[in-house]
């Protein structure tokens, strides 16, 4: 991380003379994109889940390259460590065969593609519009370090954070209610 | 150039530790388990009390044919052992064994998150193996592994969060720098929860339902032979080293000890890690395997409430101190 | 209904877990029970049933063992030889000579009936047990091998104190005692004879002494008589002289 930061610090150049870190960023980005594409196009269900791991891992590396270390490890912890495991757990409970699933394709693929492109366009537009040519200031504490992230999260963005917490709490309560109802019916 | 040499040297040392300590733990397990059962354990390999048994095992594994079942998903099957093993190697880089700059492979700012995140990835290896083997026992093992991981990841994280709250940092050397002796009683519940949850995540007895060899052969590893199987075993023992090292660093004060704080900090770390590794073996010998429902019950009704209580206690004490 | 459970004393939660840990820890400090067999020979109990040994001098080829064997694993071949008469004009005797005695240990079930049944003490249990072979056919061991094992048969263990005397020893002792008694009787008789002889000698000596004494007394009496007679003569002579 320190090496990456130093390398980024030494280069204030633009797009035309890319530094090593920018090349790495682009390469990892391409790999991530490729993994994501394979995830949605492969007809082997478990392979799709594993390609998703690659895509999420690639994203984590991108965060690292952007000095957002905390976010990177949380990404790995939550998505690779838990969400994908849950996904695999679910897949193993199904009849997913080794090899191609003949019915893995969906008739909605064009609609899905349209939604995906629209969502991606919206996100890219928002990000580009918000940051434009802002450069990360590497002289102070790293912008993505745990301390800075914590300060931002619990000082400036504490209200959205709490709102999210309430949402998760509501989901938790809902899950408990649902599971209790079912057990009553059974008994 | 000097930087590169430094990095290379650190990596070599970490790799050497990674290759040696798990074998030491494995050999200790052979002997301690044997004596706890009134046996002698290996006595021949290497001449003196079978010290080279695991080396001999390694040679044997290397000689075996590498078999991939015909119906298996070849590439995933072959990739799984590496996915299981490599995360522990990565984690080892971040564990500090002494107070100085040179006593840690690489200082990671978000150390706890790094360590727990990467350890979680290791379990993916078992899942891949379980699914790709095209074997019902393996699939059962994979399912159980996933269920166990989902149950025990949460208490482990919560217990680690408690220490991070106490220290006010998520960096491992930072936590150790903030350590005071009275953290030991303060965080004892968190330590127990962390250790137990870690054991469950490593699928060590008594939490070895996913690889229960008496009922589902060897779970996800049923179809593996030779070096790939050896890699899974090595991952298990490397996992013990990592778990014990982490518990030492997070809860037992790492290099802090009653004396010899200056140059001998690493001795304290290794000593505490060794004692914990002995406890891991001891637990394996003493307790029968938990049933699947008992496993889940322990996690959700005992460990998670305890971890939450520990976090509450940590918060109260922290506020009271400030 | 099940019997009511005994009242359980109040237990500290987790004491069972601690007990389990204590058991394993205690076992770890104790001596192990592993037998390091090829390096250290096992201490076999007396009467171990290792292998069957043959003491062929005692064997009379009576075939009892072969016939009692439940597995039919004993093979005996023999022929008869005539022994010339011991005394001139006596009758020739015939005698069985053992040609082959083999036990197939791949069939033997180590019941020990052959040893029990042998009336001449030709078969014994030997504690020797290291006779594994790589071929099942080689487990049929011939008489030379069985004889070699004979030298590994241990001495019979000592009897318990107060146990009944073994029959053969009792018989031998009875004979010995009989002989002893006879010898003692002879010795006594001899002594009595000696004593009688001595008494006779003593008596004879006494008689001789008494005879001597009598002779001496007679001599003395005769001498007295003679003296008296001389005195009487003298007195008569003096009286004659006076007259």
């Amino acid at each position: 991380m320190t090496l990456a930061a130093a390398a980024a610090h030494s280069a204030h150049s633009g797009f035309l003379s890319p530094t090593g870190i920018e090349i790495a960023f682009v390469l990892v980005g391409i790999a991530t994109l490729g993994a994501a594409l394979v995830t949605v196009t492969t007809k082997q269900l478990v392979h799709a889940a594993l390609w998703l791991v690659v895509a999420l891992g690639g994203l984590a590396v991108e965060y690292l390259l952007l000095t957002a270390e905390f976010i990177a490890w949380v990404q790995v912890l939550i998505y690779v460590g838990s969400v994908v495991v849950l996904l695999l757990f679910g897949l193993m409970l199904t009849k997913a065969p080794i090899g191609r699933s003949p019915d893995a394709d969906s008739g909605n693929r064009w609609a899905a593609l349209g939604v995906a492109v629209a969502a991606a366009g919206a996100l890219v537009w928002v990000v580009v519009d918000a940051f434009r040519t802002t450069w990360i200031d590497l002289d102070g504490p790293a912008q993505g370090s745990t301390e800075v992230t914590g300060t931002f999260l619990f000082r400036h963005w504490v209200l959205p954070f709490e709102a999210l917490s309430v949402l998760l709490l509501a989901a938790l309560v809902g899950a408990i209610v649902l599971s209790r109802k079912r057990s009553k019916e059974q008994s | 150039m000097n930087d590169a040499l430094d990095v290379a040297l650190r990596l070599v040392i970490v790799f050497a530790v990674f290759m040696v300590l798990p074998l030491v733990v494995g050999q200790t397990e052979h002997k301690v388990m044997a004596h706890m059962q009134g046996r002698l354990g290996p006595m021949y390999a290497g001449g003196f009390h079978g010290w080279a048994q695991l080396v001999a095992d390694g040679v044997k594994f290397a000689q075996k044919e590498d078999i991939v079942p015909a119906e298996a998903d070849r590439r995933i099957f072959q990739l799984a052992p590496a996915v299981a093993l490599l995360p522990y190697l990565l984690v080892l880089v971040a564990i500090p064994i002494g107070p100085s700059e040179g006593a840690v492979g690489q200082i990671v700012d978000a150390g706890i998150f790094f360590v727990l995140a990467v350890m979680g990835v290791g379990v993916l290896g078992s899942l891949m193996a379980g699914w790709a083997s095209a074997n019902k026992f393996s699939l059962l093992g994979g399912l159980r592994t996933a269920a166990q991981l989902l149950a025990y990841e949460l208490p482990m994280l919560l217990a680690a969060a408690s220490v991070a709250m106490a220290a006010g940092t998520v960096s491992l050397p930072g936590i150790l720098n903030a350590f005071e002796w009275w953290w030991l009683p303060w965080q004892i519940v968190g330590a127990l929860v962390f250790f137990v949850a870690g054991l469950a995540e490593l699928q060590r007895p008594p939490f070895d339902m996913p690889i229960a060899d008496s009922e589902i052969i060897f779970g996800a590893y049923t179809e593996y032979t030779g070096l790939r199987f050896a890699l899974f075993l090595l991952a298990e023992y490397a996992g013990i080293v990592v778990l014990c090292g982490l518990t030492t660093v997070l809860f037992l004060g790492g290099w802090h000890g009653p004396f010899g704080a200056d140059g001998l900090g690493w001795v304290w770390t290794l000593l505490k890690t060794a004692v914990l590794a002995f406890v891991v073996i001891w637990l394996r010998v003493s307790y029968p395997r938990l049933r699947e429902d008992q496993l889940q019950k322990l996690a959700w009704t005992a460990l998670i409430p305890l971890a939450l209580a520990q976090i509450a206690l940590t918060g109260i004490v922290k506020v009271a101190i400030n | 209904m099940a019997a009511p459970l005994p009242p359980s004393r109040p237990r500290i939660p987790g004491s069972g877990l601690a007990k389990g840990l204590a058991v394993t820890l205690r076992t770890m400090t104790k001596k192990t029970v592993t037998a390091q067999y090829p390096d250290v020979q096992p201490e076999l109990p007396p009467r171990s049933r290792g292998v069957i040994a043959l003491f062929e001098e005692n064997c009379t080829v009576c075939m009892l063992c072969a016939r009692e064997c439940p597995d039919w694993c004993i093979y005996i071949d023999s022929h008869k030889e005539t022994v010339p008469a011991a005394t001139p004009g006596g009758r020739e005797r015939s005698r069985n000579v053992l040609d082959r005695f083999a036990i197939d240990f791949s069939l033997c079930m180590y019941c020990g009936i052959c040893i029990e049944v042998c009336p001449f003490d030709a078969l014994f249990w030997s504690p020797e047990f290291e006779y594994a072979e790589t071929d099942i056919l080689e487990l049929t061991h011939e008489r030379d091998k069985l004889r070699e094992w004979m030298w590994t048969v241990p001495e019979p263990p000592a009897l318990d104190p107060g146990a009944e005397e073994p029959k053969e020893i009792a018989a031998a002792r009875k004979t010995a005692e009989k002989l002893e008694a006879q010898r003692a009787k002879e010795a006594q008789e001899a002594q009595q004879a000696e004593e009688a002889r001595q008494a006779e000698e003593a008596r004879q000596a006494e008689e001789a002494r008494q005879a001597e004494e009598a002779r001496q007394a007679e001599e003395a009496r005769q001498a007295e008589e003679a003296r008296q007679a001389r005195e009487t003569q003298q007195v008569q002579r003096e009286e004659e002289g006076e007259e």
Side-chain angles (χ1 to χ4, degrees), chain B residues 150-178:
Chain B
L150 289 174
Y152 282 90
E153 185 89 351
L154 191 55
M156 201 171 175
L157 270 177
L158 289 176
S162 160
V163 184
M165 273 172 71
T169 173
V170 288
S171 139
L172 294 178
I175 288 172
L176 280 174
N177 281 328

mmCIF file of all heavy atoms in Angstrom, chain B residues 150-178:
data_model
loop_
_atom_site.group_PDB
_atom_site.id
_atom_site.type_symbol
_atom_site.label_atom_id
_atom_site.label_comp_id
_atom_site.label_asym_id
_atom_site.label_seq_id
_atom_site.Cartn_x
_atom_site.Cartn_y
_atom_site.Cartn_z
ATOM 1 N N LEU B 150 -21.165 -19.613 7.854
ATOM 2 C CA LEU B 150 -22.143 -18.533 8.007
ATOM 3 C C LEU B 150 -22.457 -18.308 9.477
ATOM 4 O O LEU B 150 -22.646 -17.180 9.924
ATOM 5 C CB LEU B 150 -23.430 -18.882 7.255
ATOM 6 C CG LEU B 150 -23.314 -18.836 5.739
ATOM 7 C CD1 LEU B 150 -24.591 -19.330 5.106
ATOM 8 C CD2 LEU B 150 -23.006 -17.425 5.288
ATOM 9 N N ALA B 151 -22.506 -19.404 10.244
ATOM 10 C CA ALA B 151 -22.887 -19.269 11.646
ATOM 11 C C ALA B 151 -21.768 -18.661 12.478
ATOM 12 O O ALA B 151 -22.027 -17.876 13.381
ATOM 13 C CB ALA B 151 -23.278 -20.636 12.207
ATOM 14 N N TYR B 152 -20.527 -19.026 12.183
ATOM 15 C CA TYR B 152 -19.452 -18.655 13.098
ATOM 16 C C TYR B 152 -18.674 -17.412 12.677
ATOM 17 O O TYR B 152 -17.868 -16.904 13.445
ATOM 18 C CB TYR B 152 -18.491 -19.837 13.281
ATOM 19 C CG TYR B 152 -19.043 -20.873 14.213
ATOM 20 C CD1 TYR B 152 -19.812 -21.919 13.748
ATOM 21 C CD2 TYR B 152 -18.839 -20.774 15.578
ATOM 22 C CE1 TYR B 152 -20.344 -22.851 14.601
ATOM 23 C CE2 TYR B 152 -19.363 -21.700 16.442
ATOM 24 C CZ TYR B 152 -20.112 -22.739 15.950
ATOM 25 O OH TYR B 152 -20.643 -23.655 16.810
ATOM 26 N N GLU B 153 -18.892 -16.955 11.440
ATOM 27 C CA GLU B 153 -18.183 -15.752 11.002
ATOM 28 C C GLU B 153 -18.610 -14.548 11.844
ATOM 29 O O GLU B 153 -17.785 -13.715 12.227
ATOM 30 C CB GLU B 153 -18.490 -15.500 9.515
ATOM 31 C CG GLU B 153 -17.722 -14.346 8.907
ATOM 32 C CD GLU B 153 -16.384 -14.771 8.339
ATOM 33 O OE1 GLU B 153 -16.010 -15.920 8.575
ATOM 34 O OE2 GLU B 153 -15.731 -13.954 7.682
ATOM 35 N N LEU B 154 -19.917 -14.522 12.169
ATOM 36 C CA LEU B 154 -20.454 -13.353 12.876
ATOM 37 C C LEU B 154 -19.881 -13.204 14.285
ATOM 38 O O LEU B 154 -19.345 -12.139 14.613
ATOM 39 C CB LEU B 154 -21.979 -13.455 12.886
ATOM 40 C CG LEU B 154 -22.704 -12.201 13.358
ATOM 41 C CD1 LEU B 154 -22.270 -10.995 12.537
ATOM 42 C CD2 LEU B 154 -24.201 -12.397 13.230
ATOM 43 N N PRO B 155 -19.943 -14.245 15.143
ATOM 44 C CA PRO B 155 -19.361 -14.063 16.481
ATOM 45 C C PRO B 155 -17.875 -13.742 16.431
ATOM 46 O O PRO B 155 -17.380 -12.958 17.249
ATOM 47 C CB PRO B 155 -19.622 -15.401 17.176
ATOM 48 C CG PRO B 155 -20.045 -16.337 16.128
ATOM 49 C CD PRO B 155 -20.616 -15.542 15.032
ATOM 50 N N MET B 156 -17.173 -14.322 15.461
ATOM 51 C CA MET B 156 -15.739 -14.052 15.359
ATOM 52 C C MET B 156 -15.509 -12.561 15.080
ATOM 53 O O MET B 156 -14.681 -11.914 15.726
ATOM 54 C CB MET B 156 -15.163 -14.899 14.236
ATOM 55 C CG MET B 156 -13.679 -15.114 14.340
ATOM 56 S SD MET B 156 -13.177 -16.317 13.117
ATOM 57 C CE MET B 156 -11.426 -16.253 13.358
ATOM 58 N N LEU B 157 -16.265 -12.029 14.133
ATOM 59 C CA LEU B 157 -16.128 -10.613 13.790
ATOM 60 C C LEU B 157 -16.484 -9.729 14.970
ATOM 61 O O LEU B 157 -15.785 -8.751 15.266
ATOM 62 C CB LEU B 157 -17.061 -10.295 12.622
ATOM 63 C CG LEU B 157 -16.467 -10.457 11.240
ATOM 64 C CD1 LEU B 157 -17.527 -10.169 10.202
ATOM 65 C CD2 LEU B 157 -15.313 -9.495 11.094
ATOM 66 N N LEU B 158 -17.579 -10.098 15.655
ATOM 67 C CA LEU B 158 -18.020 -9.261 16.771
ATOM 68 C C LEU B 158 -16.968 -9.255 17.874
ATOM 69 O O LEU B 158 -16.676 -8.204 18.458
ATOM 70 C CB LEU B 158 -19.357 -9.787 17.304
ATOM 71 C CG LEU B 158 -20.553 -9.560 16.386
ATOM 72 C CD1 LEU B 158 -21.794 -10.209 16.960
ATOM 73 C CD2 LEU B 158 -20.792 -8.081 16.166
ATOM 74 N N ALA B 159 -16.407 -10.426 18.166
ATOM 75 C CA ALA B 159 -15.388 -10.486 19.216
ATOM 76 C C ALA B 159 -14.176 -9.652 18.829
ATOM 77 O O ALA B 159 -13.607 -8.923 19.656
ATOM 78 C CB ALA B 159 -14.981 -11.934 19.459
ATOM 79 N N ALA B 160 -13.782 -9.747 17.548
ATOM 80 C CA ALA B 160 -12.640 -8.948 17.105
ATOM 81 C C ALA B 160 -12.983 -7.464 17.177
ATOM 82 O O ALA B 160 -12.134 -6.638 17.549
ATOM 83 C CB ALA B 160 -12.253 -9.347 15.683
ATOM 84 N N ALA B 161 -14.238 -7.117 16.859
ATOM 85 C CA ALA B 161 -14.647 -5.719 16.908
ATOM 86 C C ALA B 161 -14.537 -5.173 18.320
ATOM 87 O O ALA B 161 -14.185 -4.001 18.526
ATOM 88 C CB ALA B 161 -16.079 -5.582 16.399
ATOM 89 N N SER B 162 -14.818 -6.038 19.295
ATOM 90 C CA SER B 162 -14.715 -5.596 20.687
ATOM 91 C C SER B 162 -13.290 -5.137 21.012
ATOM 92 O O SER B 162 -13.089 -4.081 21.621
ATOM 93 C CB SER B 162 -15.132 -6.744 21.597
ATOM 94 O OG SER B 162 -14.626 -6.548 22.887
ATOM 95 N N VAL B 163 -12.309 -5.909 20.573
ATOM 96 C CA VAL B 163 -10.924 -5.520 20.834
ATOM 97 C C VAL B 163 -10.591 -4.241 20.086
ATOM 98 O O VAL B 163 -9.915 -3.341 20.615
ATOM 99 C CB VAL B 163 -9.958 -6.640 20.400
ATOM 100 C CG1 VAL B 163 -8.546 -6.269 20.758
ATOM 101 C CG2 VAL B 163 -10.340 -7.920 21.044
ATOM 102 N N ALA B 164 -11.054 -4.156 18.844
ATOM 103 C CA ALA B 164 -10.771 -2.958 18.065
ATOM 104 C C ALA B 164 -11.351 -1.732 18.761
ATOM 105 O O ALA B 164 -10.713 -0.671 18.809
ATOM 106 C CB ALA B 164 -11.354 -3.109 16.660
ATOM 107 N N MET B 165 -12.542 -1.879 19.342
ATOM 108 C CA MET B 165 -13.136 -0.767 20.092
ATOM 109 C C MET B 165 -12.266 -0.403 21.280
ATOM 110 O O MET B 165 -12.022 0.780 21.551
ATOM 111 C CB MET B 165 -14.521 -1.172 20.596
ATOM 112 C CG MET B 165 -15.633 -0.929 19.614
ATOM 113 S SD MET B 165 -17.139 -1.656 20.244
ATOM 114 C CE MET B 165 -17.493 -0.547 21.604
ATOM 115 N N ALA B 166 -11.808 -1.419 21.989
ATOM 116 C CA ALA B 166 -11.005 -1.156 23.188
ATOM 117 C C ALA B 166 -9.729 -0.416 22.827
ATOM 118 O O ALA B 166 -9.314 0.514 23.527
ATOM 119 C CB ALA B 166 -10.681 -2.471 23.887
ATOM 120 N N ALA B 167 -9.104 -0.811 21.726
ATOM 121 C CA ALA B 167 -7.824 -0.220 21.366
ATOM 122 C C ALA B 167 -8.014 1.071 20.579
ATOM 123 O O ALA B 167 -7.096 1.882 20.491
ATOM 124 C CB ALA B 167 -7.003 -1.215 20.551
ATOM 125 N N GLY B 168 -9.162 1.255 19.979
ATOM 126 C CA GLY B 168 -9.380 2.436 19.166
ATOM 127 C C GLY B 168 -8.676 2.370 17.832
ATOM 128 O O GLY B 168 -8.431 3.388 17.194
ATOM 129 N N THR B 169 -8.307 1.166 17.383
ATOM 130 C CA THR B 169 -7.657 1.013 16.093
ATOM 131 C C THR B 169 -7.950 -0.384 15.565
ATOM 132 O O THR B 169 -8.261 -1.285 16.342
ATOM 133 C CB THR B 169 -6.141 1.231 16.176
ATOM 134 O OG1 THR B 169 -5.574 0.896 14.928
ATOM 135 C CG2 THR B 169 -5.535 0.370 17.245
ATOM 136 N N VAL B 170 -7.852 -0.559 14.246
ATOM 137 C CA VAL B 170 -8.022 -1.895 13.689
ATOM 138 C C VAL B 170 -6.698 -2.445 13.179
ATOM 139 O O VAL B 170 -6.665 -3.470 12.519
ATOM 140 C CB VAL B 170 -9.060 -1.914 12.547
ATOM 141 C CG1 VAL B 170 -10.461 -1.740 13.092
ATOM 142 C CG2 VAL B 170 -8.743 -0.868 11.514
ATOM 143 N N SER B 171 -5.613 -1.754 13.477
ATOM 144 C CA SER B 171 -4.303 -2.259 13.058
ATOM 145 C C SER B 171 -3.751 -3.177 14.133
ATOM 146 O O SER B 171 -3.854 -2.886 15.333
ATOM 147 C CB SER B 171 -3.369 -1.079 12.813
ATOM 148 O OG SER B 171 -2.096 -1.366 13.316
ATOM 149 N N LEU B 172 -3.193 -4.300 13.738
ATOM 150 C CA LEU B 172 -2.758 -5.284 14.734
ATOM 151 C C LEU B 172 -1.637 -4.751 15.622
ATOM 152 O O LEU B 172 -1.712 -4.872 16.845
ATOM 153 C CB LEU B 172 -2.352 -6.584 14.036
ATOM 154 C CG LEU B 172 -3.506 -7.320 13.345
ATOM 155 C CD1 LEU B 172 -3.010 -8.554 12.635
ATOM 156 C CD2 LEU B 172 -4.571 -7.700 14.338
ATOM 157 N N PRO B 173 -0.568 -4.164 15.075
ATOM 158 C CA PRO B 173 0.441 -3.580 15.971
ATOM 159 C C PRO B 173 -0.142 -2.460 16.827
ATOM 160 O O PRO B 173 0.257 -2.289 17.987
ATOM 161 C CB PRO B 173 1.503 -3.036 15.006
ATOM 162 C CG PRO B 173 1.301 -3.785 13.752
ATOM 163 C CD PRO B 173 -0.153 -4.071 13.664
ATOM 164 N N GLY B 174 -1.113 -1.712 16.270
ATOM 165 C CA GLY B 174 -1.747 -0.652 17.041
ATOM 166 C C GLY B 174 -2.462 -1.201 18.259
ATOM 167 O O GLY B 174 -2.357 -0.664 19.368
ATOM 168 N N ILE B 175 -3.183 -2.304 18.064
ATOM 169 C CA ILE B 175 -3.879 -2.934 19.187
ATOM 170 C C ILE B 175 -2.881 -3.364 20.248
ATOM 171 O O ILE B 175 -3.069 -3.153 21.444
ATOM 172 C CB ILE B 175 -4.691 -4.142 18.678
ATOM 173 C CG1 ILE B 175 -5.898 -3.665 17.889
ATOM 174 C CG2 ILE B 175 -5.143 -5.011 19.842
ATOM 175 C CD1 ILE B 175 -6.641 -4.770 17.199
ATOM 176 N N LEU B 176 -1.755 -3.931 19.799
ATOM 177 C CA LEU B 176 -0.768 -4.408 20.765
ATOM 178 C C LEU B 176 -0.111 -3.249 21.491
ATOM 179 O O LEU B 176 0.218 -3.359 22.673
ATOM 180 C CB LEU B 176 0.277 -5.267 20.059
ATOM 181 C CG LEU B 176 -0.218 -6.675 19.803
ATOM 182 C CD1 LEU B 176 0.781 -7.447 18.991
ATOM 183 C CD2 LEU B 176 -0.458 -7.372 21.125
ATOM 184 N N ASN B 177 0.084 -2.131 20.782
ATOM 185 C CA ASN B 177 0.688 -0.987 21.450
ATOM 186 C C ASN B 177 -0.224 -0.437 22.529
ATOM 187 O O ASN B 177 0.245 0.109 23.529
ATOM 188 C CB ASN B 177 1.004 0.107 20.419
ATOM 189 C CG ASN B 177 2.270 -0.216 19.652
ATOM 190 O OD1 ASN B 177 3.177 -0.837 20.197
ATOM 191 N ND2 ASN B 177 2.310 0.166 18.392
ATOM 192 N N ALA B 178 -1.533 -0.565 22.330
ATOM 193 C CA ALA B 178 -2.479 -0.031 23.307
ATOM 194 C C ALA B 178 -2.758 -1.012 24.427
ATOM 195 O O ALA B 178 -3.450 -0.678 25.380
ATOM 196 C CB ALA B 178 -3.786 0.335 22.596
#
